[in-house]
Amino acid sequence: MRVLSTQVVLCATSAFYRVLIICSVITFLLPTQLQAQETPADNWSQFRGNSRLSGVSESRVPADIKLLWTYDAGDSIESSAAIVGSTVFVGSQKGELTSLNLDDGSVYWKYKIDDPIGESSPAYGSGVVFFGDLAGWLHAVNASDGKKLWAYKTGSEIKSSPVIVGDRVLIGSYDENLYCVSTRTGALIWKFKTNGPVHSTPGIYNGMALIAGCDEQFRGIRISDGKEAFSVSSEAYTGASPAIRGDAAFYGTFNNEVLMVGLTDHRIGWRYQHPQRKFPFYSSAAVTSDRVVIGGRDKLVHGLDLSGKGVWTFTTKARVESSPAVADGRVFVGSNDGKFYVLNLSTGAKLWEFTAGAPLSASPAIAKGRIVIGSQDGKLYCFG
């Protein structure tokens, strides 16, 4: 059993006396295989690793990276994996959510459905795995045995990934709504109507769900009641999800720009556009203390500083729709040219590459010194 530190709160109620309040918070240990998200280096529990969608892991990755194992899912993997403890969860177009051993790729269980799983990546919380499918269902599955707990039907396909906030799970649908449902029962708590498909995975900031919309609006929706807190015009269709660092959100648009939006003043702080190559950004950004890294349909990986100035680019041979992940001073990203690249975070220099032979549009997951990424020919690769 793990017990969090006792929190002692001293409340001065008058000039004459104080009341001492001691609050002890106790949590219980989950099964070893399926530990919760307390240790960032050991868990990549949802799309982009965390609820701020930063795409950054504290995991230490070996200097000399090697292919450790491969799993054949039988159909295209566009969903990014989740890693919790020693378990990998990944969805495929075959209509299967698969649970595998991180160490050797052996299969624990498969949860089979009638429809393909597209880009909706699994999210883990409190012993449950959530994901969406292309028929519009949000599924909740027992993480230990793969048994169905419940499913909630939206009005159209789901490509957004679920994000867990307490006892609520948030997810977008192509029926133009952002949904908030109970993690326990799957009952609808609220839904927020936009003016276009909600492809974006919501990022979480100060009690709000942030979505960059296909209706050209960047919105903050209160998680408590589903009401809009603010809206900023992106002036462009957006397929990417926002990465949040400090009081700023970063995302690319189909107007060939990367935007920074201030989350306190609700204004666009800067816009980045490559001086020559004008192509959309579909990839979601990774954001560190000094870099914004994002893939473009211009076949480039772009490295910017936090002021929006381009620092480096790395050229691939096809679109980069994979969302980069960052760990240990390195960038890990797939390309539709069928290669998996490892780049220097500061300079963009190539450090290593692996030829998968099929487009890699899924995004890497990183935990426990391992990198897991799927390809469009159904292969799931684990490097370390």
Short mmCIF file of all heavy atoms in Angstrom, two decimals, residues 122-182:
data_model
loop_
_atom_site.label_atom_id
_atom_site.label_comp_id
_atom_site.label_asym_id
_atom_site.label_seq_id
_atom_site.Cartn_x
_atom_site.Cartn_y
_atom_site.Cartn_z
N PRO A 122 -6.06 4.71 -26.88
CA PRO A 122 -6.58 4.34 -25.57
C PRO A 122 -6.06 5.23 -24.45
O PRO A 122 -4.94 5.75 -24.52
CB PRO A 122 -6.09 2.89 -25.40
CG PRO A 122 -4.94 2.76 -26.33
CD PRO A 122 -5.21 3.68 -27.47
N ALA A 123 -6.89 5.39 -23.43
CA ALA A 123 -6.50 6.10 -22.20
C ALA A 123 -6.81 5.20 -21.02
O ALA A 123 -7.87 4.55 -20.98
CB ALA A 123 -7.25 7.42 -22.07
N TYR A 124 -5.91 5.17 -20.06
CA TYR A 124 -6.05 4.30 -18.89
C TYR A 124 -6.27 5.13 -17.63
O TYR A 124 -5.61 6.15 -17.42
CB TYR A 124 -4.79 3.45 -18.70
CG TYR A 124 -4.76 2.71 -17.39
CD1 TYR A 124 -5.30 1.43 -17.27
CD2 TYR A 124 -4.22 3.30 -16.25
CE1 TYR A 124 -5.29 0.76 -16.06
CE2 TYR A 124 -4.20 2.64 -15.03
CZ TYR A 124 -4.73 1.37 -14.93
OH TYR A 124 -4.74 0.71 -13.74
N GLY A 125 -7.18 4.67 -16.78
CA GLY A 125 -7.37 5.28 -15.47
C GLY A 125 -8.13 4.36 -14.55
O GLY A 125 -9.15 3.78 -14.94
N SER A 126 -7.62 4.17 -13.33
CA SER A 126 -8.30 3.40 -12.28
C SER A 126 -8.74 2.01 -12.74
O SER A 126 -9.87 1.59 -12.48
CB SER A 126 -9.51 4.19 -11.75
OG SER A 126 -9.10 5.43 -11.23
N GLY A 127 -7.85 1.33 -13.46
CA GLY A 127 -8.14 -0.04 -13.86
C GLY A 127 -9.01 -0.19 -15.07
O GLY A 127 -9.44 -1.31 -15.39
N VAL A 128 -9.28 0.91 -15.78
CA VAL A 128 -10.16 0.88 -16.95
C VAL A 128 -9.44 1.50 -18.15
O VAL A 128 -8.72 2.49 -18.01
CB VAL A 128 -11.48 1.64 -16.68
CG1 VAL A 128 -12.42 1.57 -17.89
CG2 VAL A 128 -12.17 1.08 -15.44
N VAL A 129 -9.65 0.92 -19.35
CA VAL A 129 -9.13 1.47 -20.59
C VAL A 129 -10.30 1.99 -21.42
O VAL A 129 -11.30 1.29 -21.61
CB VAL A 129 -8.36 0.41 -21.40
CG1 VAL A 129 -7.76 1.04 -22.66
CG2 VAL A 129 -7.26 -0.22 -20.56
N PHE A 130 -10.18 3.23 -21.90
CA PHE A 130 -11.22 3.87 -22.71
C PHE A 130 -10.67 4.13 -24.11
O PHE A 130 -9.51 4.48 -24.28
CB PHE A 130 -11.62 5.21 -22.09
CG PHE A 130 -12.11 5.13 -20.67
CD1 PHE A 130 -11.21 5.22 -19.61
CD2 PHE A 130 -13.45 4.95 -20.38
CE1 PHE A 130 -11.63 5.14 -18.30
CE2 PHE A 130 -13.90 4.87 -19.07
CZ PHE A 130 -12.98 4.96 -18.01
N PHE A 131 -11.53 3.97 -25.13
CA PHE A 131 -11.15 4.32 -26.51
C PHE A 131 -12.42 4.49 -27.33
O PHE A 131 -13.50 4.00 -26.96
CB PHE A 131 -10.24 3.25 -27.13
CG PHE A 131 -10.94 1.94 -27.42
CD1 PHE A 131 -11.46 1.66 -28.68
CD2 PHE A 131 -11.09 0.99 -26.42
CE1 PHE A 131 -12.11 0.47 -28.94
CE2 PHE A 131 -11.74 -0.21 -26.67
CZ PHE A 131 -12.25 -0.48 -27.94
N GLY A 132 -12.27 5.16 -28.49
CA GLY A 132 -13.39 5.34 -29.40
C GLY A 132 -13.19 4.55 -30.67
O GLY A 132 -12.06 4.19 -31.02
N ASP A 133 -14.29 4.30 -31.42
CA ASP A 133 -14.17 3.59 -32.69
C ASP A 133 -14.83 4.39 -33.81
O ASP A 133 -15.45 5.43 -33.59
CB ASP A 133 -14.71 2.16 -32.59
CG ASP A 133 -16.23 2.08 -32.41
OD1 ASP A 133 -16.97 2.98 -32.88
OD2 ASP A 133 -16.70 1.10 -31.81
N LEU A 134 -14.69 3.88 -35.03
CA LEU A 134 -15.17 4.62 -36.19
C LEU A 134 -16.68 4.50 -36.41
O LEU A 134 -17.22 5.11 -37.33
CB LEU A 134 -14.41 4.17 -37.44
CG LEU A 134 -12.92 4.51 -37.44
CD1 LEU A 134 -12.25 4.07 -38.73
CD2 LEU A 134 -12.68 6.01 -37.21
N ALA A 135 -17.36 3.74 -35.56
CA ALA A 135 -18.82 3.73 -35.58
C ALA A 135 -19.40 4.72 -34.58
O ALA A 135 -20.63 4.89 -34.51
CB ALA A 135 -19.34 2.33 -35.28
N GLY A 136 -18.53 5.37 -33.80
CA GLY A 136 -19.00 6.38 -32.86
C GLY A 136 -19.18 5.91 -31.44
O GLY A 136 -19.76 6.63 -30.63
N TRP A 137 -18.70 4.71 -31.12
CA TRP A 137 -18.83 4.19 -29.76
C TRP A 137 -17.61 4.56 -28.92
O TRP A 137 -16.46 4.43 -29.37
CB TRP A 137 -18.97 2.67 -29.77
CG TRP A 137 -20.27 2.17 -30.28
CD1 TRP A 137 -20.56 1.76 -31.56
CD2 TRP A 137 -21.48 1.99 -29.53
NE1 TRP A 137 -21.87 1.36 -31.65
CE2 TRP A 137 -22.46 1.48 -30.42
CE3 TRP A 137 -21.84 2.20 -28.20
CZ2 TRP A 137 -23.76 1.18 -30.02
CZ3 TRP A 137 -23.13 1.91 -27.80
CH2 TRP A 137 -24.07 1.40 -28.70
N LEU A 138 -17.87 4.99 -27.69
CA LEU A 138 -16.83 5.12 -26.67
C LEU A 138 -16.93 3.89 -25.79
O LEU A 138 -17.98 3.61 -25.20
CB LEU A 138 -17.05 6.39 -25.85
CG LEU A 138 -16.19 6.54 -24.58
CD1 LEU A 138 -14.70 6.60 -24.92
CD2 LEU A 138 -16.62 7.78 -23.79
N HIS A 139 -15.82 3.16 -25.69
CA HIS A 139 -15.80 1.90 -24.95
C HIS A 139 -15.04 2.05 -23.64
O HIS A 139 -14.02 2.76 -23.58
CB HIS A 139 -15.12 0.80 -25.76
CG HIS A 139 -15.78 0.49 -27.06
ND1 HIS A 139 -16.66 -0.54 -27.23
CD2 HIS A 139 -15.68 1.10 -28.27
CE1 HIS A 139 -17.08 -0.58 -28.49
NE2 HIS A 139 -16.50 0.42 -29.14
N ALA A 140 -15.50 1.33 -22.61
CA ALA A 140 -14.78 1.19 -21.35
C ALA A 140 -14.55 -0.29 -21.11
O ALA A 140 -15.49 -1.09 -21.10
CB ALA A 140 -15.58 1.79 -20.20
N VAL A 141 -13.27 -0.66 -20.92
CA VAL A 141 -12.88 -2.06 -20.84
C VAL A 141 -12.06 -2.28 -19.58
O VAL A 141 -11.19 -1.46 -19.24
CB VAL A 141 -12.03 -2.45 -22.08
CG1 VAL A 141 -11.61 -3.91 -22.03
CG2 VAL A 141 -12.80 -2.16 -23.37
N ASN A 142 -12.31 -3.38 -18.89
CA ASN A 142 -11.52 -3.73 -17.72
C ASN A 142 -10.08 -3.98 -18.15
O ASN A 142 -9.81 -4.83 -19.00
CB ASN A 142 -12.11 -4.97 -17.05
CG ASN A 142 -11.46 -5.28 -15.72
OD1 ASN A 142 -10.24 -5.42 -15.63
ND2 ASN A 142 -12.26 -5.41 -14.68
N ALA A 143 -9.14 -3.27 -17.56
CA ALA A 143 -7.75 -3.35 -18.01
C ALA A 143 -7.09 -4.67 -17.66
O ALA A 143 -6.13 -5.08 -18.32
CB ALA A 143 -6.94 -2.21 -17.40
N SER A 144 -7.57 -5.36 -16.66
CA SER A 144 -6.91 -6.59 -16.23
C SER A 144 -7.30 -7.80 -17.06
O SER A 144 -6.48 -8.69 -17.28
CB SER A 144 -7.20 -6.87 -14.75
OG SER A 144 -8.59 -7.05 -14.54
N ASP A 145 -8.56 -7.84 -17.57
CA ASP A 145 -8.99 -9.03 -18.31
C ASP A 145 -9.64 -8.75 -19.66
O ASP A 145 -10.02 -9.68 -20.38
CB ASP A 145 -9.95 -9.86 -17.46
CG ASP A 145 -11.21 -9.09 -17.04
OD1 ASP A 145 -11.47 -8.00 -17.60
OD2 ASP A 145 -11.92 -9.56 -16.14
N GLY A 146 -9.78 -7.47 -20.04
CA GLY A 146 -10.33 -7.15 -21.35
C GLY A 146 -11.83 -7.30 -21.47
O GLY A 146 -12.37 -7.34 -22.58
N LYS A 147 -12.54 -7.36 -20.35
CA LYS A 147 -13.99 -7.51 -20.38
C LYS A 147 -14.67 -6.13 -20.52
O LYS A 147 -14.24 -5.15 -19.93
CB LYS A 147 -14.50 -8.19 -19.11
CG LYS A 147 -13.89 -9.57 -18.87
CD LYS A 147 -14.24 -10.55 -19.97
CE LYS A 147 -13.70 -11.94 -19.65
NZ LYS A 147 -13.96 -12.90 -20.75
N LYS A 148 -15.75 -6.12 -21.29
CA LYS A 148 -16.50 -4.88 -21.50
C LYS A 148 -17.17 -4.44 -20.21
O LYS A 148 -17.81 -5.23 -19.52
CB LYS A 148 -17.55 -5.09 -22.59
CG LYS A 148 -18.44 -3.89 -22.84
CD LYS A 148 -19.45 -4.18 -23.95
CE LYS A 148 -20.39 -3.02 -24.18
NZ LYS A 148 -21.36 -3.31 -25.27
N LEU A 149 -17.04 -3.15 -19.90
CA LEU A 149 -17.73 -2.57 -18.77
C LEU A 149 -18.96 -1.80 -19.24
O LEU A 149 -20.05 -1.97 -18.70
CB LEU A 149 -16.79 -1.65 -17.98
CG LEU A 149 -15.56 -2.33 -17.38
CD1 LEU A 149 -14.65 -1.32 -16.72
CD2 LEU A 149 -16.00 -3.40 -16.38
N TRP A 150 -18.79 -0.96 -20.25
CA TRP A 150 -19.92 -0.25 -20.86
C TRP A 150 -19.47 0.36 -22.17
O TRP A 150 -18.29 0.39 -22.49
CB TRP A 150 -20.49 0.84 -19.94
CG TRP A 150 -19.53 1.85 -19.38
CD1 TRP A 150 -19.01 1.89 -18.11
CD2 TRP A 150 -18.96 3.01 -20.05
NE1 TRP A 150 -18.15 2.97 -17.96
CE2 TRP A 150 -18.12 3.68 -19.14
CE3 TRP A 150 -19.10 3.52 -21.33
CZ2 TRP A 150 -17.41 4.83 -19.46
CZ3 TRP A 150 -18.39 4.68 -21.67
CH2 TRP A 150 -17.56 5.32 -20.74
N ALA A 151 -20.44 0.82 -22.97
CA ALA A 151 -20.16 1.54 -24.21
C ALA A 151 -21.20 2.64 -24.39
O ALA A 151 -22.38 2.43 -24.09
CB ALA A 151 -20.17 0.60 -25.41
N TYR A 152 -20.75 3.80 -24.84
CA TYR A 152 -21.64 4.94 -25.06
C TYR A 152 -21.60 5.32 -26.53
O TYR A 152 -20.53 5.46 -27.11
CB TYR A 152 -21.22 6.14 -24.20
CG TYR A 152 -22.07 7.36 -24.42
CD1 TYR A 152 -23.26 7.52 -23.73
CD2 TYR A 152 -21.69 8.33 -25.35
CE1 TYR A 152 -24.06 8.63 -23.97
CE2 TYR A 152 -22.48 9.45 -25.58
CZ TYR A 152 -23.67 9.59 -24.89
OH TYR A 152 -24.47 10.68 -25.12
N LYS A 153 -22.76 5.51 -27.15
CA LYS A 153 -22.85 5.79 -28.58
C LYS A 153 -22.98 7.28 -28.84
O LYS A 153 -23.89 7.94 -28.33
CB LYS A 153 -24.06 5.06 -29.18
CG LYS A 153 -24.19 5.21 -30.70
CD LYS A 153 -23.12 4.43 -31.44
CE LYS A 153 -23.42 4.26 -32.93
NZ LYS A 153 -23.43 5.52 -33.69
N THR A 154 -22.06 7.82 -29.64
CA THR A 154 -22.19 9.18 -30.15
C THR A 154 -22.81 9.12 -31.55
O THR A 154 -23.12 8.05 -32.05
CB THR A 154 -20.82 9.89 -30.21
OG1 THR A 154 -20.04 9.33 -31.27
CG2 THR A 154 -20.08 9.73 -28.89
N GLY A 155 -22.97 10.28 -32.18
CA GLY A 155 -23.69 10.32 -33.44
C GLY A 155 -22.88 10.08 -34.68
O GLY A 155 -23.43 9.99 -35.78
N SER A 156 -21.55 9.95 -34.55
CA SER A 156 -20.71 9.75 -35.73
C SER A 156 -19.36 9.20 -35.29
O SER A 156 -19.13 8.97 -34.10
CB SER A 156 -20.54 11.08 -36.48
OG SER A 156 -19.91 10.86 -37.73
N GLU A 157 -18.46 9.01 -36.24
CA GLU A 157 -17.18 8.38 -35.95
C GLU A 157 -16.37 9.16 -34.92
O GLU A 157 -16.50 10.38 -34.80
CB GLU A 157 -16.37 8.22 -37.24
CG GLU A 157 -15.99 9.52 -37.91
CD GLU A 157 -15.30 9.30 -39.25
OE1 GLU A 157 -14.97 8.15 -39.57
OE2 GLU A 157 -15.09 10.29 -39.97
N ILE A 158 -15.54 8.43 -34.19
CA ILE A 158 -14.67 9.03 -33.19
C ILE A 158 -13.22 8.84 -33.62
O ILE A 158 -12.76 7.71 -33.81
CB ILE A 158 -14.88 8.40 -31.80
CG1 ILE A 158 -16.29 8.72 -31.27
CG2 ILE A 158 -13.82 8.89 -30.82
CD1 ILE A 158 -16.60 8.05 -29.95
N LYS A 159 -12.52 9.97 -33.80
CA LYS A 159 -11.08 9.95 -34.04
C LYS A 159 -10.33 10.65 -32.92
O LYS A 159 -9.11 10.50 -32.80
CB LYS A 159 -10.75 10.58 -35.39
CG LYS A 159 -11.28 9.78 -36.58
CD LYS A 159 -10.79 10.34 -37.90
CE LYS A 159 -11.25 9.48 -39.07
NZ LYS A 159 -10.74 10.00 -40.38
N SER A 160 -11.04 11.42 -32.13
CA SER A 160 -10.51 12.02 -30.92
C SER A 160 -10.14 10.93 -29.93
O SER A 160 -10.71 9.83 -29.96
CB SER A 160 -11.57 12.95 -30.33
OG SER A 160 -11.22 13.42 -29.04
N SER A 161 -9.19 11.21 -29.06
CA SER A 161 -8.80 10.26 -28.02
C SER A 161 -9.40 10.69 -26.68
O SER A 161 -9.53 11.88 -26.40
CB SER A 161 -7.29 10.17 -27.91
OG SER A 161 -6.72 9.72 -29.13
N PRO A 162 -9.75 9.71 -25.84
CA PRO A 162 -10.34 10.05 -24.54
C PRO A 162 -9.30 10.63 -23.57
O PRO A 162 -8.12 10.28 -23.62
CB PRO A 162 -10.87 8.71 -24.04
CG PRO A 162 -10.05 7.68 -24.75
CD PRO A 162 -9.68 8.26 -26.07
N VAL A 163 -9.78 11.51 -22.70
CA VAL A 163 -8.97 12.07 -21.63
C VAL A 163 -9.77 11.94 -20.34
O VAL A 163 -10.95 12.31 -20.29
CB VAL A 163 -8.62 13.55 -21.90
CG1 VAL A 163 -7.85 14.14 -20.73
CG2 VAL A 163 -7.80 13.68 -23.18
N ILE A 164 -9.13 11.41 -19.31
CA ILE A 164 -9.81 11.15 -18.04
C ILE A 164 -9.52 12.29 -17.07
O ILE A 164 -8.36 12.66 -16.86
CB ILE A 164 -9.33 9.82 -17.44
CG1 ILE A 164 -9.56 8.67 -18.42
CG2 ILE A 164 -10.02 9.53 -16.11
CD1 ILE A 164 -8.74 7.44 -18.14
N VAL A 165 -10.58 12.84 -16.48
CA VAL A 165 -10.45 13.88 -15.46
C VAL A 165 -11.32 13.46 -14.27
O VAL A 165 -12.54 13.59 -14.31
CB VAL A 165 -10.89 15.26 -15.99
CG1 VAL A 165 -10.64 16.33 -14.93
CG2 VAL A 165 -10.16 15.61 -17.27
N GLY A 166 -10.69 12.92 -13.24
CA GLY A 166 -11.45 12.45 -12.10
C GLY A 166 -12.39 11.33 -12.48
O GLY A 166 -11.98 10.31 -13.04
N ASP A 167 -13.68 11.53 -12.21
CA ASP A 167 -14.67 10.51 -12.52
C ASP A 167 -15.36 10.77 -13.86
O ASP A 167 -16.44 10.25 -14.14
CB ASP A 167 -15.73 10.43 -11.42
CG ASP A 167 -16.50 11.73 -11.23
OD1 ASP A 167 -16.15 12.75 -11.89
OD2 ASP A 167 -17.45 11.75 -10.43
N ARG A 168 -14.69 11.56 -14.72
CA ARG A 168 -15.26 11.90 -16.03
C ARG A 168 -14.28 11.56 -17.14
O ARG A 168 -13.06 11.65 -16.95
CB ARG A 168 -15.61 13.39 -16.09
CG ARG A 168 -16.59 13.80 -15.00
CD ARG A 168 -16.93 15.28 -15.01
NE ARG A 168 -17.92 15.55 -13.99
CZ ARG A 168 -18.75 16.58 -13.99
NH1 ARG A 168 -18.70 17.46 -14.98
NH2 ARG A 168 -19.62 16.75 -13.03
N VAL A 169 -14.81 11.20 -18.29
CA VAL A 169 -13.99 10.98 -19.47
C VAL A 169 -14.52 11.88 -20.58
O VAL A 169 -15.73 11.96 -20.80
CB VAL A 169 -13.95 9.49 -19.89
CG1 VAL A 169 -15.32 8.93 -20.18
CG2 VAL A 169 -13.02 9.29 -21.08
N LEU A 170 -13.61 12.59 -21.24
CA LEU A 170 -13.95 13.55 -22.28
C LEU A 170 -13.48 13.02 -23.62
O LEU A 170 -12.38 12.49 -23.74
CB LEU A 170 -13.28 14.90 -22.00
CG LEU A 170 -13.57 15.54 -20.65
CD1 LEU A 170 -12.61 16.68 -20.37
CD2 LEU A 170 -15.00 16.04 -20.60
N ILE A 171 -14.31 13.21 -24.66
CA ILE A 171 -13.92 12.75 -26.00
C ILE A 171 -14.74 13.50 -27.04
O ILE A 171 -15.90 13.87 -26.80
CB ILE A 171 -14.11 11.22 -26.15
CG1 ILE A 171 -13.33 10.68 -27.35
CG2 ILE A 171 -15.60 10.84 -26.22
CD1 ILE A 171 -13.17 9.18 -27.36
N GLY A 172 -14.13 13.75 -28.19
CA GLY A 172 -14.83 14.42 -29.29
C GLY A 172 -15.39 13.43 -30.28
O GLY A 172 -14.93 12.28 -30.39
N SER A 173 -16.38 13.86 -31.05
CA SER A 173 -16.99 13.03 -32.08
C SER A 173 -17.18 13.85 -33.35
O SER A 173 -17.29 15.08 -33.31
CB SER A 173 -18.35 12.50 -31.60
OG SER A 173 -19.07 11.87 -32.66
N TYR A 174 -17.24 13.14 -34.48
CA TYR A 174 -17.51 13.82 -35.74
C TYR A 174 -18.97 14.27 -35.86
O TYR A 174 -19.34 14.88 -36.86
CB TYR A 174 -17.11 12.93 -36.92
CG TYR A 174 -15.68 13.14 -37.36
CD1 TYR A 174 -14.63 13.15 -36.44
CD2 TYR A 174 -15.36 13.38 -38.69
CE1 TYR A 174 -13.32 13.37 -36.83
CE2 TYR A 174 -14.05 13.59 -39.10
CZ TYR A 174 -13.04 13.59 -38.17
OH TYR A 174 -11.74 13.81 -38.57
N ASP A 175 -19.79 14.01 -34.84
CA ASP A 175 -21.15 14.58 -34.83
C ASP A 175 -21.14 16.02 -34.33
O ASP A 175 -22.20 16.60 -34.09
CB ASP A 175 -22.09 13.70 -34.00
CG ASP A 175 -21.78 13.72 -32.50
OD1 ASP A 175 -20.87 14.47 -32.07
OD2 ASP A 175 -22.44 12.98 -31.75
N GLU A 176 -19.93 16.58 -34.18
CA GLU A 176 -19.71 18.00 -33.83
C GLU A 176 -19.85 18.30 -32.35
O GLU A 176 -19.91 19.46 -31.95
CB GLU A 176 -20.61 18.93 -34.66
CG GLU A 176 -20.44 18.74 -36.16
CD GLU A 176 -21.19 19.77 -36.99
OE1 GLU A 176 -22.01 20.51 -36.43
OE2 GLU A 176 -20.93 19.84 -38.21
N ASN A 177 -19.83 17.26 -31.52
CA ASN A 177 -19.95 17.46 -30.07
C ASN A 177 -18.70 17.00 -29.33
O ASN A 177 -18.04 16.03 -29.72
CB ASN A 177 -21.14 16.68 -29.52
CG ASN A 177 -22.47 17.31 -29.87
OD1 ASN A 177 -22.86 18.34 -29.32
ND2 ASN A 177 -23.18 16.70 -30.81
N LEU A 178 -18.40 17.70 -28.24
CA LEU A 178 -17.47 17.22 -27.24
C LEU A 178 -18.31 16.60 -26.13
O LEU A 178 -19.23 17.24 -25.61
CB LEU A 178 -16.63 18.36 -26.67
CG LEU A 178 -15.68 17.98 -25.53
CD1 LEU A 178 -14.56 17.08 -26.03
CD2 LEU A 178 -15.11 19.24 -24.85
N TYR A 179 -17.99 15.37 -25.75
CA TYR A 179 -18.78 14.62 -24.77
C TYR A 179 -18.05 14.51 -23.44
O TYR A 179 -16.82 14.36 -23.40
CB TYR A 179 -19.07 13.21 -25.28
CG TYR A 179 -20.11 13.15 -26.37
CD1 TYR A 179 -19.75 13.33 -27.70
CD2 TYR A 179 -21.45 12.93 -26.07
CE1 TYR A 179 -20.70 13.29 -28.71
CE2 TYR A 179 -22.41 12.87 -27.07
CZ TYR A 179 -22.04 13.06 -28.39
OH TYR A 179 -22.98 13.02 -29.38
N CYS A 180 -18.82 14.54 -22.37
CA CYS A 180 -18.34 14.27 -21.03
C CYS A 180 -19.26 13.20 -20.44
O CYS A 180 -20.47 13.42 -20.30
CB CYS A 180 -18.38 15.53 -20.17
SG CYS A 180 -17.92 15.27 -18.45
N VAL A 181 -18.70 12.03 -20.14
CA VAL A 181 -19.51 10.94 -19.59
C VAL A 181 -18.88 10.41 -18.31
O VAL A 181 -17.69 10.61 -18.05
CB VAL A 181 -19.70 9.79 -20.61
CG1 VAL A 181 -20.31 10.31 -21.90
CG2 VAL A 181 -18.39 9.09 -20.89
N SER A 182 -19.65 9.72 -17.54
CA SER A 182 -19.19 9.14 -16.28
C SER A 182 -18.25 7.97 -16.57
O SER A 182 -18.57 7.08 -17.35
CB SER A 182 -20.38 8.65 -15.46
OG SER A 182 -19.97 7.79 -14.41
#
